[in-house]
Amino acid sequence: MYLAKDFVETAEGLIFAVVSNGLEQGKVLCFLRYLRIDGCWRKAGTDFANDFLRQSYPHYLHYSPAIDAEVHAVPAAAVVRHYQPRRQLEALLRQQPTDAVLADLQHLCRLFADSGLQLDQFGVTGSLLVGMQNHDSDIDLVCYGRDQFHRARFSVQALIAQDRIQALNDSDWLEAYRRRACDFALDDYIWHEQRKYNKGMINQRKFDLSLLCAVDVAGGRYRKLGFARIEAEVADDRFSFDYPACFPLKHAEIGSVVCFTATYNGQAQKGEWIEAAGWIEIDEQGCQRLVVGSTREAIGEYIRVLR
């Protein structure tokens, strides 16, 4: 089965990051991340990836009726290699470290194992999954169980307190803020992030933890109604770190905020009031939700705690 955070490769030398569990019309919903040009791999930014596929491989563009949007998609029959985070982490932990990134990954995983975490519930995604890491690469870990994920967050908090790993410093936060293209001020971004404990530094290398559960709490078939900005109280935060994240609301019309961008995962807790901007969508039963992250950069879309 294809899961979000997996990667898939095609015969043309294109590597896509999977963005949705399962298949839609026999296709893997994904986003182009790497391509091979003249025998060398190149990382693709969002605008380049979209333009490149339109011009060279339009058959990898797909209209998704489930989310009422155009996305990248690869037919399952066109996949020549399926990169799976859990298998890759298992393999990397058995290897002799060949670079600083792998050495830091192994060190971090030893700290987590010493904290009682079950490493077979974790995988590695991003550049390490496809062997594209360089000296400056981050470590992107994905956890496949909600309980283990929150235990990992508590472990990060404890390890920082013990100075066995470090919290992000001001320059680290600024770099993360610039990469995320967040839609509010830096100090507000840092306030939201510091209480999540899903990222840290090991040997001056940033790592991130993300949660992926097999059950899609935001599934269904939707059509867009329009852009909106709302304020509401968060009714439940159990799925706030999921992919996609889901924040049920106490609101007269909008049942939930669903977030497809990691920037705002874990952003709010039960009982807090939020301001959220995004696209209102309605399902076949007439239930409405507000989607944050309708595009990869999610410009103008956000979740912010009112404090």
Side-chain angles (χ1 to χ4, degrees):
M1 179 179 178
Y2 296 98
L3 297 175
K5 310 292 185 180
D6 293 359
F7 279 57
V8 294
E9 184 175 346
T10 70
E12 299 93 343
L14 306 177
I15 296 180
F16 296 79
V18 180
V19 300
S20 180
N21 296 344
L23 299 175
E24 181 179 289
Q25 299 175 7
K27 297 179 178 181
V28 184
L29 302 189
C30 49
F31 197 89
L32 179 63
R33 297 301 288 134
Y34 297 94
L35 62 154
R36 193 169 56 235
I37 299 178
D38 297 329
C40 298
W41 286 102
R42 169 179 174 178
K43 190 171 184 179
T46 300
D47 291 338
F48 177 87
N50 287 327
D51 291 342
F52 178 78
L53 290 186
R54 287 192 195 102
Q55 294 173 14
S56 302
Y57 298 99
H59 54 285
Y60 289 141
L61 297 175
H62 166 76
Y63 171 75
S64 170
I67 58 175
D68 190 21
E70 187 178 79
V71 296
H72 302 179
V74 175
V79 174
V80 298
R81 186 170 179 184
H82 180 194
Y83 298 87
Q84 296 173 280
R86 206 178 325 210
R87 290 184 179 179
Q88 177 71 346
L89 180 61
E90 183 182 358
L92 291 177
L93 293 181
R94 291 197 305 263
Q95 291 182 15
Q96 288 296 319
T98 53
D99 56 49
V101 188
L102 181 51
D104 291 340
L105 170 68
Q106 292 180 348
H107 183 191
L108 179 61
C109 287
R110 284 195 298 271
L111 292 174
F112 281 160
D114 291 345
S115 300
L117 296 178
Q118 300 171 17
L119 293 183
D120 61 355
Q121 296 297 306
F122 289 82
V124 63
T125 188
S127 60
L128 275 163
L129 175 57
V130 291
M132 302 290 180
Q133 72 270 21
N134 58 52
H135 180 74
D136 298 320
S137 293
D138 294 342
I139 295 170
D140 298 305
L141 290 174
V142 56
C143 182
Y144 294 91
R146 190 174 285 110
D147 177 64
Q148 282 292 304
F149 172 76
H150 290 299
R151 288 184 63 189
R153 291 176 55 228
F154 298 145
S155 294
V156 169
Q157 184 176 11
L159 290 166
I160 289 174
Q162 297 162 13
D163 199 31
R164 301 175 75 186
I165 60 174
Q166 289 72 48
L168 278 68
N169 61 29
D170 290 345
S171 61
D172 298 326
W173 283 123
L174 180 58
E175 181 182 355
Y177 176 74
R178 286 172 173 167
R179 288 173 65 180
R180 283 296 177 185
C182 186
D183 270 273
F184 39 79
L186 174 62
D187 60 344
D188 216 3
Y189 169 79
I190 294 174
W191 179 85
H192 284 85
E193 291 297 306
Q194 282 182 326
R195 64 187 195 153
K196 297 178 185 179
Y197 291 104
N198 63 343
K199 54 180 61 66
M201 305 292 293
I202 183 163
N203 295 330
Q204 299 181 312
R205 187 181 311 283
K206 187 165 77 72
F207 69 86
D208 287 272
L209 294 167
S210 59
L211 169 64
L212 184 69
C213 292
V215 177
D216 184 355
V217 298
R221 196 179 180 99
Y222 293 86
R223 61 182 176 86
K224 289 181 172 56
L225 296 181
F227 193 86
R229 185 176 291 104
I230 65 170
E231 294 183 6
E233 183 182 347
V234 175
D236 190 345
D237 60 11
R238 285 176 297 168
F239 310 116
S240 65
F241 282 96
D242 280 52
Y243 182 82
C246 183
F247 301 85
L249 301 177
K250 295 181 180 179
H251 189 276
E253 297 175 349
I254 310 302
S256 63
V257 172
V258 176
C259 179
F260 288 89
T261 172
T263 303
Y264 306 114
N265 279 11
Q267 192 78 344
Q269 299 170 10
K270 181 179 179 179
E272 292 181 332
W273 277 76
I274 60 170
E275 178 185 48
W279 286 88
I280 301 294
E281 296 184 345
I282 187 168
D283 68 11
E284 294 165 324
Q285 287 72 47
C287 298
Q288 296 185 42
R289 67 181 188 177
L290 186 142
V291 171
V292 174
S294 60
T295 62
R296 185 172 177 81
E297 263 65 30
I299 302 300
E301 304 174 29
Y302 61 86
I303 303 169
R304 181 172 67 89
V305 174
L306 298 172
R307 56 190 179 97

